[in-house]
């Protein structure tokens, strides 16, 4: 549907398709909400940490007041955790906010933005919302081809998005490759290193991107509280960059973009190292459970470093939609990725062991049809 309002580039936006809400699927398929398994949005299957829930409830007493628009207490927690000054931190209404702020701050209509094919759906949306020219660079083995991305940088390129680990494919680029890439990017091009899943990385894969921020004034590291920290519904994330970037993001954000309940919960969650470790361990076990099942079913999958896995459910271009529908009818919500150009695949978030089991059984039924 189009209207006569607004610029062409806004009218051309295809709205973001998220994972379907449980209540929605229950209504459509006549199912009991309590028996639905949702493995569609890379949420933490443990829910929010109890520490964060308590902090949020305590903060609710003051919800009649505006939040601290500068997030003093939360920034103090982050300052201590990462050993960076408070003026290097931007708080966001989800890390999605940080990605959009970057597009608004650095890209004018007609200028180009680079990201990888099969990368996060928000990158093209944020680009289009500001009239930017999207350059989606062909993926290599479903992941980023950083050499090709660096080669593609044009005179008008202002922004590059790199998701590591990547969503939806779960692919990972090691720290040495990223450093090599950072060296190749001209200083007037901003790189957003989107690390929504970094807490799930095995210790031997982890790298210190915050240290790179000191070295590169054009690097913005983005982190989310929605995935391992279990706060997806509260909407909170943050960006870390030198003041040359951070100052601009803070000028254009809404003054109260992060609500007070989210700020309180985030402080507690960031300090809850036990919860993070337990979540990462649960995820690692669930990953093995899922890929063991895929191997048994002879289904190709993409090795993943996130809290989700891509599995190929057929060779025809209706396979993803067909198997997805058969799963929905059984009360299992996963994510079809046809909109990413991967119609033969489904992305499955890693759940609790029993949720994974229900999904595997439903998948077997769906494939038998
Ligand atoms: C989930 C996700 C985000 C954003 O999550 P928020 O809930 O907005 O913090 C950002 N980048 C990637 C790659 C993601 O998968």
């Amino acid at each position: 549907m189009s209207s006569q309002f607004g610029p062409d580039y806004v009218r051309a936006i295809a709205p973001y398709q998220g994972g379907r809400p449980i209540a929605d699927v229950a209504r459509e398929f006549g199912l009991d909400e309590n028996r639905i398994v949702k493995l569609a949005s890379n949420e933490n299957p443990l829910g929010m940490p109890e520490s964060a829930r308590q902090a949020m409830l305590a903060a609710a007493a003051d919800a009649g007041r505006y939040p601290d628009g500068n997030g003093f207490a939360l920034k103090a927690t982050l300052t201590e955790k990462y050993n960076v000054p408070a003026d290097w931190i931007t708080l966001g209404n989800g890390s999605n906010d940080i990605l959009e702020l970057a597009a608004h701050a650095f890209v004018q209509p007609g200028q180009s933005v680079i990201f990888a094919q099969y990368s996060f759906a928000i990158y093209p949306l944020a680009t289009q919302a500001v009239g930017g020219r999207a350059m989606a660079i062909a993926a290599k083995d479903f992941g980023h081809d950083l050499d090709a991305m660096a080669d593609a940088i044009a005179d008008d390129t202002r922004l590059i998005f790199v998701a590591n680990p990547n969503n939806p494919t779960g692919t990972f680029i090691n720290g040495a490759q990223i450093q090599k890439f950072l060296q190749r990017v001209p200083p007037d091009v901003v790189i957003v290193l989107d690390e929504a899943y970094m807490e799930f990385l095995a210790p031997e894969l982890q790298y210190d991107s915050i240290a790179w921020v000191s070295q590169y004034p054009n690097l913005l590291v983005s982190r989310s509280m929605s995935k391992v920290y279990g706060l997806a519904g509260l909407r909170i994330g943050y960006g870390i960059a030198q003041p040359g970037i951070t100052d601009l993001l803070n000028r254009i954000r809404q003054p109260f973009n992060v609500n007070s309940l989210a700020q309180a919960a985030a402080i507690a969650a960031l300090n809850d190292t036990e919860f993070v470790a337990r979540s990462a361990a649960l995820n690692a076990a669930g990953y093995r459970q899922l890929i063991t099942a895929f191997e048994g079913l002879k289904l190709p999958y993409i090795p993943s470093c996130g809290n989700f896995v891509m599995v190929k459910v057929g060779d025809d271009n209706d396979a993803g939609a067909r198997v997805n529908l058969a799963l929905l009818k059984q009360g299992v919500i996963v994510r079809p990725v046809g909109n990413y150009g991967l119609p033969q695949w489904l992305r499955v978030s890693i759940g609790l062991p029993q949720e994974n089991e229900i999904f595997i059984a439903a998948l077997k039924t769906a494939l038998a049809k």
Side-chain angles (χ1 to χ4, degrees):
M1 234 197 325
S2 66
S3 74
Q4 76 272 35
F5 302 120
D8 291 345
Y9 57 81
V10 171
R11 288 202 298 270
I13 291 174
Y16 178 75
Q17 299 172 333
R20 292 191 61 182
I22 289 176
D24 205 38
V25 170
R27 260 194 312 275
E28 179 174 339
F29 295 92
L31 300 164
D32 175 356
E33 277 192 28
N34 298 314
R35 305 195 50 179
I36 288 181
V37 171
K38 184 183 175 208
L39 302 174
S41 301
N42 302 344
E43 295 145 343
N44 190 324
L46 294 174
M48 77 188 298
E50 180 58 24
S51 57
R53 204 176 73 87
Q54 294 300 336
M56 180 188 75
L57 292 176
D62 269 333
R65 298 200 182 278
Y66 279 101
D68 176 355
N70 291 317
F72 180 84
L74 174 52
K75 283 186 188 171
T77 302
L78 290 167
T79 291
E80 188 165 332
K81 187 174 169 74
Y82 295 118
N83 197 23
V84 295
D87 65 357
W88 286 29
I89 301 169
T90 311
L91 303 180
N93 188 25
S95 62
N96 198 133
D97 199 16
I98 303 293
L99 309 178
E100 287 186 15
L101 289 172
H104 281 280
F106 305 121
V107 184
Q108 289 177 36
Q111 294 180 327
S112 65
V113 177
I114 292 176
F115 47 83
Q117 179 191 24
Y118 310 139
S119 195
F120 193 36
I122 295 299
Y123 306 154
L125 285 177
T127 301
Q128 211 174 342
V130 297
R133 185 164 59 86
M135 297 172 76
I137 307 304
K140 199 164 89 187
D141 301 325
F142 295 101
H144 292 68
D145 183 343
L146 288 184
D147 287 332
M149 289 173 72
D151 290 342
I153 295 170
D155 288 343
D156 70 354
T157 302
R158 288 293 166 270
L159 187 61
I160 304 175
F161 288 110
V162 175
N164 201 39
N166 187 40
N167 176 19
T169 61
T171 52
F172 175 73
I173 326 159
N174 68 40
Q177 289 172 290
I178 295 186
Q179 269 183 297
K180 202 172 120 223
F181 176 72
L182 294 175
Q183 281 161 14
R184 283 196 62 188
V185 176
D188 59 342
V189 178
V190 172
I191 305 129
V192 176
L193 183 55
D194 179 356
E195 299 184 328
Y197 303 97
M198 60 83 56
E199 297 86 356
F200 292 108
L201 291 173
E204 67 274 15
L205 297 181
Q206 293 189 5
Y207 53 81
D208 187 0
S209 55
I210 307 297
W212 300 338
V213 171
S214 313
Q215 208 181 333
Y216 296 96
N218 58 336
L219 175 62
L220 167 61
V221 171
S222 161
R223 299 271 175 90
S224 175
M225 301 295 296
S226 301
K227 308 291 163 50
V228 85
Y229 291 105
L231 302 183
L234 287 176
R235 312 304 304 126
I236 178 150
Y238 55 91
I240 298 181
Q242 291 189 31
I245 287 178
T246 302
D247 179 49
L248 291 189
L249 301 183
N250 275 304
R251 284 175 199 225
I252 61 167
R253 70 175 173 84
Q254 288 181 44
F256 302 107
N257 62 330
V258 180
N259 71 75
S260 48
L261 305 190
Q263 291 188 33
I267 293 168
L270 286 164
N271 287 321
D272 199 338
T273 50
E274 183 277 330
F275 180 82
V276 171
R278 186 151 49 92
S279 300
L282 181 77
N283 188 66
Y287 177 70
R288 283 191 298 276
Q289 185 185 2
L290 289 181
I291 64 168
T292 303
F294 297 152
E295 280 161 9
L297 292 164
K298 305 225 168 359
L299 297 177
Y301 64 90
I302 303 173
S304 173
C305 288
N307 63 345
F308 53 89
V309 198
M310 290 266 292
V311 59
K312 191 176 180 191
V313 292
D315 292 322
D316 60 290
N317 283 342
D318 293 323
R322 184 176 59 242
V323 174
N324 180 56
L325 181 62
L327 290 171
L328 285 174
K329 286 180 178 165
Q330 298 175 78
V332 177
I333 314 175
V334 299
R335 186 71 75 90
V337 281
N339 60 327
Y340 283 95
L342 296 163
Q344 304 166 337
W345 298 75
L346 293 174
R347 191 196 69 191
V348 187
S349 303
I350 297 166
L352 299 171
Q354 59 271 33
E355 292 176 322
N356 299 332
E357 215 42 68
I358 291 169
F359 157 71
I360 291 163
L363 180 63
K364 285 179 185 161
T365 304
L367 292 170
K369 289 215 171 113

